[in-house]
Amino acid sequence: MTSFAFWCTLLVVGLKAANNAAAGFDYGSAVHKSLLFFEAQRSGKLPFNQRIKWRTDSGLHDGFLQGVDLVGGYYDAGDHVKFGLPMAFSVTMLSWGAIDFRQEIVGLKQMGHTLDAIKWGTDYFIKAHPHPNILWGQVGDGESDHYCWERAEDMSTPRTAYTLDPSNPGSDLAAETAAALASASLAFHPYNSAYSDLLLLHSKQLFSFADTFRGLYHDSIRCAKQSYPSSGYWDELLWAAAWLFRATKDVYYLKYVAKNAASMGGTEWAAREFSWDNKYAGIQILLSKADYMLGKNPKSVSYVVGYGQTYPVHVHHRGASIASVSVLHSSVGCLQGFDTWYRRPKANPNVIQGALVGGPTKNDNFSDDRSNYEQTEPTISASAPLVGLFSKLQSVTAGNSGPHPKVAPAPNPKSGIPVEFLHSITDTWTVGRTSYYRHKVIIKNVSQWLKILKPSSECSFVYIQGGPQAEISVQSYH
């Protein structure tokens, strides 16, 4: 939690900072990698165009014991709990970027992937909201989940689902989910108006539920308090109303903000933090700064995994730290994972591209240690604002900012590339001050026409270098 507040302090510094951004960073690559992180965090049945190949299906029975389908959504961080509050905040941030930086994201050819990331969350929220006054707010709990170190595909911990209703309210969680759906409605409107309307319907119902039955969500979902305690729900109510006014132009929501702003606080004083728990700064304005986290810092370390020459390789993340099921077919047991993988001194076998880790202390100290979860664990709520932020910075540094297009079609997610790459780190060692990595790349034929490899067959190669994985591409196919 502390580390996320640190990153948010960097993010909330002034919109003009984006226009004064220094050249030298490939922000477009950072956008690409940030979106890959969300694919690594997916729960449920993964789609055919899943780009993170070391992940497969998981959590396919979530909610079934309670008689509800809660398959899908996002795992929160390096564990496998689906926490509703940070997930909703993450979707709001992704949507905000897609709305206000649409031209920039389209210019980077990332709008299709951005909408996919948003929809993976909103489809789950629709499932979790089967009745106007019911919201399923969490699947799994941190205490039992943290007892095990295993892949999502091997989960053996309880997948208990927790709900909010009039007798067990959660205004903060319900209102943040309403904000997520309202902002997503705006993001989807140019591309899929029917889906946009559906999101708006759920958003209105959830806002009414949040405002009518007031209470802190962690008083109803008590196991959430240890991981994501809420400081209050007034900011979420104002935040949701502001998004609903923007999405609907209904003056009811504008009057709600105007009437309650003073009593609920947060609109007349300078907010210093913007996070999953504190939306006051967002009500005023979202602002940005990025170079520090990409490597312009005393350690010269990129805290976005996979970006630059030096980044954390012992990320506190179960799936990234254990060999993929496509490589290690046998199940990894609950406690076996600690002995075999968690305490393993070598780099993670899977590079979790685009993950923003917890980061350094206020004195710029950082230890790349898997057990140092405060500094090496990534979260979706910390990474979500980066898509819009990096897109804008890339546009500014490239000098191609301009008016938003009226309608920009989302790219077709299908690709004509006949092969897919599975990249892993199989060994690491240090000589002097330089760390070397043994990279293995598996090339799989996913087409029916490539002749040099039979359909579904594979070949592999290895290479060694003192830095991050190489960008692998094919010049021609035969």
Side-chain angles (χ1 to χ4, degrees):
M1 309 310 165
T2 303
S3 60
F4 182 68
F6 172 80
W7 288 129
C8 286
T9 300
L10 292 180
L11 287 170
V12 186
V13 296
L15 189 58
K16 291 183 179 179
N19 295 323
N20 295 328
F25 289 98
D26 184 354
Y27 299 113
S29 174
V31 173
H32 167 72
K33 293 179 185 298
S34 295
L35 288 167
L36 287 177
F37 172 61
F38 280 87
E39 294 192 20
Q41 296 301 104
R42 283 172 171 170
S43 177
K45 180 71 175 177
L46 301 187
F48 75 94
N49 60 342
Q50 170 82 7
R51 294 177 294 171
I52 302 299
K53 301 302 181 182
W54 50 266
R55 281 295 325 282
T56 58
D57 302 343
S58 63
L60 298 181
H61 297 94
D62 282 358
F64 284 18
L65 289 176
Q66 285 84 8
V68 61
D69 178 5
L70 296 176
V71 176
Y74 287 108
Y75 299 124
D76 170 63
D79 51 21
H80 302 130
V81 183
K82 295 194 291 198
F83 290 106
L85 187 57
M87 191 193 306
F89 172 77
S90 301
V91 171
T92 308
M93 290 295 95
L94 286 169
S95 300
W96 196 353
I99 298 163
D100 284 2
F101 304 126
R102 189 200 315 170
Q103 178 200 3
E104 291 82 358
I105 295 175
V106 168
L108 291 169
K109 296 180 172 56
Q110 295 295 332
M111 183 56 81
H113 294 307
T114 301
L115 294 178
D116 285 346
I118 295 169
K119 194 171 186 292
W120 198 265
T122 53
D123 282 352
Y124 172 78
F125 294 147
I126 291 172
K127 290 181 177 182
H129 183 228
H131 182 277
N133 292 336
I134 291 178
L135 176 64
W136 292 88
Q138 183 173 316
V139 178
D141 71 89
E143 184 175 355
S144 63
D145 187 89
H146 292 172
Y147 181 73
C148 296
W149 192 267
E150 56 191 352
R151 298 172 296 200
E153 295 81 0
D154 297 328
M155 274 192 293
S156 58
T157 52
R159 300 299 290 170
T160 307
Y162 302 88
T163 187
L164 302 176
D165 56 37
S167 300
N168 301 280
S171 300
D172 32 20
L173 174 51
E176 182 59 54
T177 308
L181 293 168
S183 57
S185 173
L186 284 166
F188 271 96
H189 190 265
Y191 311 105
N192 188 336
S193 60
Y195 188 65
S196 173
D197 291 343
L198 177 63
L199 297 177
L200 203 53
L201 172 64
H202 282 274
S203 177
K204 291 177 180 178
Q205 292 178 346
L206 280 167
F207 177 76
S208 177
F209 171 47
D211 192 37
T212 303
F213 303 98
R214 294 188 179 183
L216 293 171
Y217 91 103
H218 68 224
D219 289 336
S220 298
I221 305 177
R222 296 184 181 277
C223 59
K225 191 170 186 177
Q226 182 177 358
S227 299
Y228 286 99
S230 175
S231 61
Y233 53 76
W234 287 351
D235 54 328
E236 278 86 8
L237 287 172
L238 291 173
W239 176 242
W243 274 113
L244 276 164
F245 172 68
R246 185 172 180 182
T248 66
K249 299 298 186 289
D250 187 337
V251 294
Y252 167 80
Y253 298 107
L254 179 61
K255 290 180 178 179
Y256 182 95
V257 174
K259 177 182 177 181
N260 294 290
S263 61
M264 291 184 174
T267 59
E268 297 179 353
W269 48 273
R272 299 178 61 186
E273 178 186 331
F274 180 57
S275 70
W276 57 267
D277 182 43
N278 189 332
K279 313 305 184 309
Y280 287 131
I283 298 164
Q284 297 167 21
I285 191 168
L286 178 66
L287 309 167
S288 56
K289 181 175 175 63
D291 292 357
Y292 183 98
M293 65 181 72
L294 292 180
K296 191 176 182 180
N297 55 64
K299 294 285 187 181
S300 297
V301 170
S302 168
Y303 295 110
V304 176
V305 177
Y307 183 93
Q309 293 298 311
T310 305
Y311 52 80
V313 296
H314 300 90
V315 181
H316 182 94
H317 189 279
R318 286 159 175 76
S321 69
I322 303 174
S324 168
V325 294
S326 63
V327 175
L328 178 63
H329 302 298
S330 59
S331 176
V332 175
C334 170
L335 299 180
Q336 175 194 357
F338 282 105
D339 295 332
T340 307
W341 298 99
Y342 179 78
R343 299 182 179 92
R344 183 173 178 260
K346 295 181 179 180
N348 289 354
N350 305 307
V351 179
I352 186 161
Q353 299 276 359
L356 176 65
V357 298
T361 66
K362 62 181 180 181
N363 297 320
D364 298 303
N365 295 318
F366 179 77
S367 174
D368 185 10
D369 185 331
R370 197 174 295 116
S371 64
N372 181 17
Y373 67 89
E374 294 95 339
Q375 293 191 311
T376 62
E377 184 173 23
T379 64
I380 57 173
S381 54
S383 295
L386 302 184
V387 174
L389 169 63
F390 289 144
S391 297
K392 179 61 178 178
L393 290 174
Q394 178 66 19
S395 171
V396 170
T397 56
N400 61 353
S401 59
H404 290 275
K406 292 182 179 179
V407 176
N412 189 335
K414 294 183 179 180
S415 172
I417 299 176
V419 297
E420 63 182 19
F421 302 102
L422 177 64
H423 200 133
S424 61
I425 297 175
T426 59
D427 201 1
T428 180
W429 62 93
T430 301
V431 178
R433 295 184 177 181
T434 304
S435 295
Y436 292 92
Y437 304 93
R438 183 180 187 271
H439 300 262
K440 180 179 180 180
V441 180
I442 297 175
I443 306 174
K444 182 177 181 179
N445 180 13
V446 294
S447 75
Q448 297 296 320
W449 57 267
L450 190 64
K451 296 180 180 179
I452 197 169
L453 281 176
K454 293 181 180 180
S456 300
S457 63
E458 301 174 347
C459 66
S460 64
F461 66 91
V462 299
Y463 64 93
I464 296 171
Q465 69 179 33
Q469 68 182 50
E471 293 287 341
I472 307 298
S473 62
V474 178
Q475 289 187 330
S476 62
Y477 300 97
H478 304 283

